[in-house]
Amino acid sequence: MIRSAVTISLVSQARGGPFVYWDDLAGSMQRAKELGFDAVELFLPGPEFVDRKYLRSLLDELDLSVAAVGTGAGMVIHKLSLTAFESPLRDQARQFIREMIDFGGEFGAPAIIGSMQGRHTDQVPRPTALGYLTEALHELGAYAGRHAVPLIYEPLNRYETNLCVTMESGVDLLETGQVENVKLLADLFHMNIEETSIAHGLLAAGEHLGHVHFVDSNRRAAGMGHMSFEPIAAALRQLGYSGYTSAEAFAFPDSDTAARQTITRFRELFR
Ligand code: LER
Ligand code: MN
């Protein structure tokens, strides 16, 4: 069964970004529960930012799960990247991600590599960057396996990376590199920019699909843009997808309205 999740960001440097709830962890989790979400996806400044016992107690009390944890703060705050020219920055990026894998793993949640993939540049040509990325996915995928969770890799749109921007290129990266225990994240916003057809993109991801960012064409909550969700839901059903569709969307016009709109559209499509 497909499960619902909603994002919570505690990263002040990412203000204005596509996260539904902000700042107040306990209050946001309470609202997620009241609205009927199964889980929360957490975007944190780092692995030590939230006390693990406190988070465990909130999850138990509210009967919520953690769908995934983001690692983008490594880029936003520390300017780290798995494909940086300077090798210490690449090493620190891996270390940051390992620590986020450990954090998420404690809650049965995978870590997501999105913006931490970086991009190829004049200094780091495409084959070199793809080599760094593949090597990192090998190591970090195996590392995630210690917690019995996958690692999640997210193709982004062309304005955020020039490495993999479609599901097909993500599949190619994983298969050519023989990378194990790494799944793909299908972010419908990025796909709306890059894919010929979002449904075909999902089907191309196939068994590699591990997570979905559920959002409309304009990055507002599902139902507040011009995305055709029926073919998307049909493709997910055809795949037998049983992971999360997680609302990574702007808090527009406000967090509760975006969350309520998301869960309403989720129920229409998947329940
Ligand atoms: C992260 O999930 C994402 O989609 C990126 O656009 C954030 O930079
Ligand atoms: Mn995303």
Side-chain angles (χ1 to χ4, degrees):
M1 190 164 72
I2 296 177
R3 287 161 291 169
S4 60
V6 62
T7 48
I8 302 173
S9 171
L10 304 186
V11 181
S12 56
Q13 293 90 335
R15 178 102 27 227
F19 303 100
V20 174
Y21 282 106
W22 288 84
D23 305 328
D24 171 9
L25 180 66
S28 302
M29 289 175 66
Q30 178 76 39
R31 293 300 292 140
K33 183 64 192 180
E34 285 164 4
L35 290 167
F37 286 93
D38 299 309
V40 290
E41 179 176 319
L42 300 177
F43 189 62
L44 307 177
E48 304 305 331
F49 193 78
V50 170
D51 181 78
R52 296 172 195 211
K53 282 203 183 104
Y54 174 60
L55 177 58
R56 168 56 58 205
S57 71
L58 287 173
L59 292 166
D60 288 348
E61 183 192 321
L62 295 169
D63 189 25
L64 281 173
S65 300
V66 181
V69 296
T71 65
M75 167 67 87
V76 173
I77 300 176
H78 306 291
K79 311 296 174 211
L80 305 176
S81 155
L82 292 173
T83 56
F85 175 63
E86 302 88 343
S87 76
L89 293 185
R90 298 198 301 273
D91 292 344
Q92 287 167 40
R94 284 202 203 191
Q95 181 58 22
F96 186 86
I97 293 167
R98 277 195 290 271
E99 289 173 14
M100 289 309 299
I101 290 171
D102 287 334
F103 176 83
E106 234 178 280
F107 302 97
I112 297 169
I113 295 180
S115 58
M116 286 287 269
Q117 71 193 274
R119 51 180 77 224
H120 68 77
T121 60
D122 289 344
Q123 283 180 310
V124 185
R126 183 172 178 83
T128 309
L130 289 174
Y132 290 155
L133 181 59
T134 304
E135 223 181 87
L137 293 178
H138 260 289
E139 186 226 314
L140 298 169
Y143 192 83
R146 297 187 193 179
H147 295 282
V149 294
L151 177 70
I152 306 284
Y153 170 68
E154 179 177 22
L156 303 172
N157 74 68
R158 65 190 68 182
Y159 306 107
E160 298 187 39
T161 190
N162 51 15
L163 296 175
C164 295
V165 301
T166 60
M167 288 300 118
E168 195 183 359
S169 61
V171 169
D172 189 49
L173 181 79
L174 300 185
E175 292 189 350
T176 306
Q178 297 182 306
V179 173
E180 301 204 357
N181 200 39
V182 178
K183 297 279 186 190
L184 292 178
L185 197 170
D187 182 321
L188 303 181
F189 169 74
H190 299 307
M191 293 179 78
N192 180 60
I193 295 171
E194 298 295 345
E195 302 282 350
T196 309
S197 146
I198 296 179
H200 289 167
L202 293 167
L203 295 174
E207 61 178 14
H208 295 285
L209 185 64
H211 198 68
V212 174
H213 278 158
F214 182 64
V215 58
D216 219 309
S217 51
N218 47 10
R219 227 172 195 183
R220 293 180 184 171
M224 299 178 97
H226 58 71
M227 189 89 83
S228 297
F229 280 98
E230 283 76 13
I232 290 169
L236 292 175
R237 276 193 291 271
Q238 191 180 327
L239 289 173
Y241 178 70
S242 62
Y244 286 101
T245 59
S246 183
E248 188 186 66
F250 293 130
F252 177 88
D254 56 71
S255 299
D256 277 342
T257 307
R260 197 176 293 107
Q261 171 61 45
T262 294
I263 198 71
T264 300
R265 198 73 185 100
F266 172 86
R267 287 181 175 137
E268 289 164 359
L269 293 163
F270 301 116
R271 290 290 182 269

